[in-house]
Structure formats: C-alpha cells, structure tokens
Amino acid sequence: MKLKDIISSLNLEARGKIDKSSADKLDKDITRGYVSDLLSDVMANSEEGDLWITLQTHPNIIAVASMKGLAGIVIINGRQPEEEMVRKAEEENIPILLSKLPAFELIGRLYKLGIVGLKGNA
Amino acid sequence: MKLIRIKELLKADVLCLEECLDNEIKIACGSDLMSDVLAFIKPNALLLTGLTNSQVVRTAEMAEVSAICFVRGKTPDTNTIELAKERKIPLLTTKYSMYECCGRLYQNGLPACGIPK
Amino acid sequence: MRDKKKDTSSFSSAEKIPRNKKGAAITKVQELVYELKVGDAMHKNMITASVDTSMRQLREILRSHRISGTPIMDGDKLVGIVSIEDFIKWLAEGGKDCSIREKMTKNVKTLYADEPLVHAVSKLEQMGFGRFPVLDRQSNKLVGVITKGDIIESLLRELEVDYHEEEIHRYRASHIFEDIIADKATLTFQYSVKAKDFSRAGEVSSALRKTLNRLGIHPNIVRRAAIASYEAEMNVVIYTDGGEIVMTVRPDKIQIDVKDSGPGIADIKKAFEPGYSTAPDWVRELGFGAGMGLCNIKKCSDETVLNSTVGKGTHLKVSINMNTAER
C-alpha cells in the first residue's frame, strides 16, 4: 500500500513541507512496520523501508530514520514534534505523520490494511 | 481475551505465574516509555514492551497492569521476575516484534486502551 | 512423673512436621499447627465403651454414632482402643461374640492435651492411626479424642478467625478518621529516596500505594497518587542527589511533598511542556525521560506546585482531593 493511501485511510496528519523528493516518498509502497520508542532498538532491529511508529519527538529520531532508510515516521498519541525535528525531517526527506491514536490501535489498523511486522513468511 | 489465548497467538513462553493464564485481559498497550504507560493505561491490561528492566514491573504495579509480555525474545533478569511474582504480575516473552504482536492481538479482537474520544 | 518424662522424649523425633520439600517459607497453616494445642482441636464429648461390653454391642455403638473406633474404659481408666481394623479382624475370624477386652488394642498410643498440634499431625502420619485418645497430663485421665477430621476442622476454624481479624483490621484502618476524635487529623508518612539507584527506584511509591490501600482510600485516588508519586520518585532518582517524599493524608485530601537538594530546574515553564526533557540517553533507553513525567503528575493531581532554585533544590507539591474519586 502506498504511503499516501495509508495517510488518507488512517487520517494521519503530514507535517513539514512536501517538495518533489518527499512526494516520491509518499508514492512508495509500504509493506512492513516497526514500532519502538527506543532509538537503540530501532537502530538494531528495524529494516529498510519500514514505517516507524513511535511517540518520541526528539530530533535524534530523524537521524536514526535516515540512517536506516525508513519509509517514514508516525508520531502517535497526539504528540507534537519539536520544530527542530520537523526542520531536520525536511532536510533529510523523512515524512513525518501524526496520529492521535495509541500504538496498539494504530498498528492494529495498519495490520488490517496488510502492513505486517514480519519479513516473508517467518 | 484470556491470557492463555494471548500466549497462543503470540507463541509466547511464560516466565512466571503460569497459574494466572486464565486471567481475563480486556485491553492492550504497546510501549517502551513507562510514562506513556502510566498516562494512558487502564486496569486489566496487557502491556507489550521491549524493555526488560525492573521499572517495567514497578510501572505495571502502579498502573495495575494485569500482565506483561516482552517482545523480540527478550527476558528480564531473575530479580525482575521475582519482583513480578511478588506483585502477582504474570510475565510472558515472545519472539515476535512489538508491531507483529499488536497486529495479531488487534486482529483477534483485543482492543487498545487510551483511544482519544 | 516417670510417664511424663518418657512421653516427652518419645516425641522428640516427631518434632519435624512434614514440610514442603523445597523448604519453602512457613505457611499460615504450619504456624497454626505449632501454635495450637491438641486440647484445642480434640473433641471432648467422645463416645467410649466399657471394657466389659460385648463386641456385638460395640458394633451397634459404632454404627449408631457413625464412628470407626472408640477408647475402651475400665471405670475412668483408659485401658485400650478398638479401631475398625480390630473389627475387621474380629469379623474375619468368624465374628463370634466375646468381650471387647479380648479384641481391643491394649498398648494404646495417646497424646496429652497440652502438646502442640504438630505432634498429633506427625503421630497420625507416622503410625497411620485414625485417632488418638487425649489425656490430661496431671491426672492421666481421658479428656478427649483427636482425629484427622478434628485437626482439619480446628485449622479451618482458626484460619477463619484470622480472616475475620484481618477484615476487622482493615475496617479499622479504613475508618481511621472516623475513629479519631480531633478537630483536625493528619497522618504523615515519610520516605527517603536514594539517588541513581535505578533498580530500587519505585519502592517508595510502592510502599505509599500499599499504605493508601490499607487506609481504605478509593482505588482511583490511590492509583492517581501512586502514579504521581512514582513519576516524582523517578525524577529524584534520575536527576538529583537524593531526596525525600512526605505524604500527608487528611480526610479531605492527600498531599505528596517531594523535596531534593539539587541541582534544581532552570526553566520550570518548559519543564511542564510535554516532550521537553533534559534526560541523558541512558535514561531514555530505560524508558524514562521522554518529557512526560511532570505532565503525568499534573494529570493525576488536583493541584501541582513546583518550586525550584538552581543549585539548591526542588520542591514539588502534589495534592489530590478525596472527593474526586470519580474524576
């Protein structure tokens, strides 16, 4: 499922300017998600192309997402990102999406859309 | 949903209080931030987390969490397991990622807690 | 006197109650079998039979009273015991009527009324008998009979008494303010918080929570107080050089005062902003320091006052009103 379709089906709010390169990212197909609030965990265990769900709003999360090549970040529980983080996200071309839902609910809905947490049939 | 059903859905191992598998779990919460758990969780909940330090059990005690499941095959140290036994909080561990756990349980009808009105 | 001495020595090996093999902690029941006396558990209005009774008469006595054995008396002296085994043996031998004297067990094992119940438990276990006659140590006269059923019954009775006492205890604690006569009553609980001891952090809030439960405070109020206290305790552990938590409980409200001796908070307004945190990475990796602690505390309380001086310390005052249980 394309990221922009996920945004519209789950009522996510996109933050930051959308220019051409980030528009490309919204057209990207998403197949898997990863949820964690621990940066070290995401560094160690997320996979390229994962949609990252977290309630961290610390600017450091952009560096992690960029390094791991993640498809985007969904910030949950209605939390607002710091301005510095949005600016960094624009620089690094990482889509920042906001949801009012808690992790469990949001992931449940994503799962029903076919975004799973496992690679292949593992 | 009974804890035993959660154990089956997540192919989880029980770390302590096997006798509590019949307990009824009404809602679930997945988080690695204990303040988040304290802010949103309601009684009779399952807490899914990637953290394994003793503060997870303390948080569960304060927030009256019914059971904890550690994700990605993590297990806490024996002191933490002992603390959980003392506080009557069953502990499980599963190989699945937190994302996969949330998805599986949600798909099988376990609701989330802390959904804004 | 000779009998008495003999008796105590013969019991020394019986001191060991069959314990949990793992040597687990002494349970309430185990405590009780040491505390209670045989005389507390035995039944006193027991059926006895005279040594001159015939076996056939005895069969009627046992049947009508639905018992499986009885002490045999010669006058007021215990001379033997007849058990169901004796009876079966008699029947197997043809069941020819005769006096009890010929068929009873003469070497009677007895217990004294003042022995701890554990002696009865282990003797019943060791010898496989269903009952023991109980004698008064001074007079050596029969005063009762004890069976496994009597032991179970007495333990259950005691446990129930304990249960009731526990209930009364709780009741008392939970109505403490109604029981105290004063114009103003305040309970104060003081706890100290160690700095940087992450593994023990939360113990104070755990104790505080138990205390409030014990006082019978509404569960919703207890929950809010415990969460607020826990967040505050974590802050003291993580950021300061240690401090103390003082909880005062009044009929109308709970106040939690958290004080530390430094380093203090530079920007208090910012500290209350969700997500604002000065936590180092190690704290974040432990699941704290995401800038939600003070918001959580505020959310749980009816009044939050934070005073801080950099270099001196911080005083956080949290109040929860008792009438906000359904909030």
Side-chain angles (χ1 to χ4, degrees):
Chain A
M1 194 173 206
K2 284 189 181 10
L3 186 53
K4 62 179 181 194
D5 298 331
I6 293 175
I7 294 171
S8 59
S9 6
L10 294 180
N11 265 328
L12 305 178
E13 179 195 338
R15 280 299 299 271
K17 282 199 296 282
I18 295 188
D19 55 27
K20 199 179 165 301
S21 58
S22 53
D24 286 351
K25 292 221 165 174
L26 297 182
D27 266 330
K28 229 184 134 197
D29 240 345
I30 309 283
T31 56
R32 278 177 294 113
Y34 198 81
V35 57
S36 178
D37 305 317
L38 305 174
L39 305 194
S40 58
D41 171 23
V42 180
M43 282 299 285
N45 300 303
S46 67
E47 301 275 341
E48 193 179 344
D50 283 355
L51 182 63
W52 179 15
I53 291 104
T54 186
L55 53 69
Q56 290 280 17
T57 53
H58 198 275
N60 285 355
I61 70 169
I62 305 301
V64 173
S66 166
M67 245 183 291
K68 295 290 289 193
L70 304 184
I73 304 172
V74 186
I75 295 172
I76 52 165
N77 273 354
R79 288 187 131 214
Q80 292 297 322
E82 295 171 25
E83 275 318 305
E84 194 196 337
M85 177 186 142
V86 177
R87 197 178 47 74
K88 273 197 178 171
E90 284 170 354
E91 272 171 27
E92 301 284 337
N93 249 319
I94 306 282
I96 298 293
L97 310 164
L98 310 184
S99 169
K100 289 199 166 51
L101 299 175
F104 190 87
E105 179 71 27
L106 182 75
I107 294 162
R109 293 187 192 182
L110 281 167
Y111 204 86
K112 284 196 166 171
L113 293 176
I115 317 294
V116 294
L118 296 171
K119 258 198 294 186
N121 298 319
Chain B
M1 185 184 285
K2 284 208 191 308
L3 192 53
I4 187 140
R5 175 94 180 108
I6 291 169
K7 173 186 146 58
E8 288 161 8
L9 287 171
L10 302 185
K11 297 187 177 138
D13 291 324
V14 182
L15 297 172
C16 72
L17 299 172
E18 185 117 31
E19 62 271 25
C20 297
L21 286 180
D22 230 23
N23 290 5
E24 192 67 29
I25 302 290
K26 297 218 172 97
I27 44 176
C29 163
S31 184
D32 299 324
L33 287 177
M34 294 304 114
S35 289
D36 175 44
V37 176
L38 290 165
F40 293 105
I41 213 159
K42 300 269 184 312
N44 300 312
L46 168 77
L47 170 61
L48 293 155
T49 186
L51 279 181
T52 56
N53 63 63
S54 60
Q55 294 312 321
V56 175
V57 175
R58 295 254 184 238
T59 299
E61 181 195 357
M62 300 303 158
E64 290 154 43
V65 166
S66 293
I68 303 170
C69 183
F70 301 105
V71 300
R72 274 189 294 102
K74 289 192 154 195
T75 53
D77 62 20
T78 50
N79 289 343
T80 303
I81 297 178
E82 283 307 310
L83 184 66
K85 269 191 211 164
E86 216 176 273
R87 312 291 155 156
K88 304 264 183 308
I89 302 166
L91 301 180
L92 279 69
T93 178
T94 172
K95 293 245 174 325
Y96 292 129
S97 71
M98 171 106 90
Y99 187 99
E100 187 64 22
C101 291
C102 294
R104 280 180 184 228
L105 294 178
Y106 186 90
Q107 205 160 42
N108 282 278
L110 192 63
C113 67
I115 297 175
K117 283 168 198 125
Chain C
M1 278 326 267
R2 188 183 57 85
D3 275 340
K4 194 173 161 186
K5 210 172 171 188
K6 189 179 155 203
D7 183 75
T8 34
S9 65
S10 75
F11 276 133
S12 60
S13 66
E15 283 290 341
K16 270 178 256 143
I17 172 169
R19 278 213 190 194
N20 187 329
K21 280 189 190 110
K22 285 176 184 164
I26 296 177
T27 63
K28 186 72 200 164
V29 171
Q30 282 174 313
E31 263 175 56
L32 280 171
V33 296
Y34 281 98
E35 253 171 53
L36 290 174
K37 299 281 180 274
V38 171
D40 298 326
M42 69 184 187
H43 60 277
K44 289 175 189 142
N45 38 5
M46 64 286 179
I47 309 299
T48 61
S50 155
V51 73
D52 296 314
T53 319
S54 75
M55 285 301 274
R56 229 170 248 174
Q57 278 173 311
L58 182 65
R59 187 170 65 188
E60 275 320 298
I61 293 172
L62 296 184
R63 185 153 54 195
S64 64
H65 291 99
R66 295 178 174 205
I67 50 176
S68 53
T70 177
I72 307 302
M73 310 298 288
D74 190 357
D76 64 356
K77 197 167 176 280
L78 177 74
V79 291
I81 192 161
V82 172
S83 67
I84 205 81
E85 272 91 346
D86 297 319
F87 240 96
I88 291 165
K89 224 162 98 190
W90 170 63
L91 286 171
E93 285 164 6
K96 264 205 340 233
D97 204 5
C98 58
S99 82
I100 294 177
R101 195 189 298 269
E102 290 174 58
K103 300 293 169 194
M104 69 184 185
T105 303
K106 294 189 180 85
N107 180 20
V108 193
K109 303 287 180 213
T110 59
L111 288 161
Y112 285 114
D114 60 359
E115 286 181 64
L117 194 56
V118 61
H119 286 179
V121 174
S122 46
K123 252 195 160 181
L124 283 166
E125 191 83 32
Q126 274 175 3
M127 305 191 170
F129 295 162
R131 67 192 58 235
F132 283 98
V134 181
L135 304 180
D136 174 67
R137 197 183 285 273
Q138 255 71 46
S139 64
N140 246 344
K141 294 244 167 69
L142 182 74
V143 288
V145 168
I146 190 162
T147 65
K148 279 185 185 170
D150 293 328
I151 294 172
I152 291 170
E153 211 177 289
S154 70
L155 288 175
L156 288 176
R157 205 165 49 225
E158 285 302 316
L159 285 171
E160 192 170 47
V161 168
D162 272 356
Y163 177 73
H164 281 307
E165 269 169 9
E166 172 77 16
E167 288 279 287
I168 289 165
H169 200 65
R170 263 197 209 151
Y171 179 84
R172 272 191 198 141
S174 67
H175 287 68
I176 191 155
F177 289 114
E178 285 159 37
D179 291 349
I180 289 171
I181 303 164
D183 291 336
K184 232 181 175 182
T186 306
L187 294 171
T188 305
F189 306 89
Q190 192 166 348
Y191 309 88
S192 63
V193 182
K194 281 212 180 84
K196 311 286 184 280
D197 190 352
F198 194 78
S199 67
R200 293 189 60 190
E203 281 183 4
V204 166
S205 302
S206 178
L208 183 144
R209 178 173 169 268
K210 279 185 196 138
T211 304
L212 289 176
N213 274 328
R214 196 93 182 123
L215 289 172
I217 309 291
H218 193 285
N220 288 349
I221 302 268
V222 174
R223 196 179 145 87
R224 281 161 54 201
I227 291 175
S229 155
Y230 181 55
E231 289 281 11
E233 185 180 354
M234 290 312 298
N235 283 346
V236 174
V237 170
I238 292 167
Y239 299 106
T240 79
D241 304 326
E244 64 164 19
I245 296 180
V246 178
M247 172 172 73
T248 48
V249 183
R250 295 194 338 217
D252 60 330
K253 73 170 185 178
I254 297 169
Q255 185 175 315
I256 301 167
D257 285 278
V258 186
K259 289 182 199 168
D260 65 68
S261 48
I265 302 167
D267 191 339
I268 290 180
K269 196 165 160 276
K270 260 203 127 116
F272 273 100
E273 277 174 21
Y276 177 81
S277 173
T278 57
D281 283 344
W282 70 269
V283 171
R284 289 176 194 266
E285 290 301 318
L286 289 167
F288 286 88
M292 290 171 75
L294 279 169
C295 306
N296 253 357
I297 292 171
K298 212 172 160 186
K299 195 174 150 192
C300 289
S301 59
D302 293 307
E303 197 191 349
T304 315
V305 181
L306 183 66
N307 285 305
S308 187
T309 311
V310 173
K312 276 201 162 164
T314 302
H315 178 183
L316 172 73
K317 196 166 87 180
V318 171
S319 308
I320 298 169
N321 296 332
M322 294 289 196
N323 61 8
T324 54
E326 308 302 330
R327 197 180 82 159

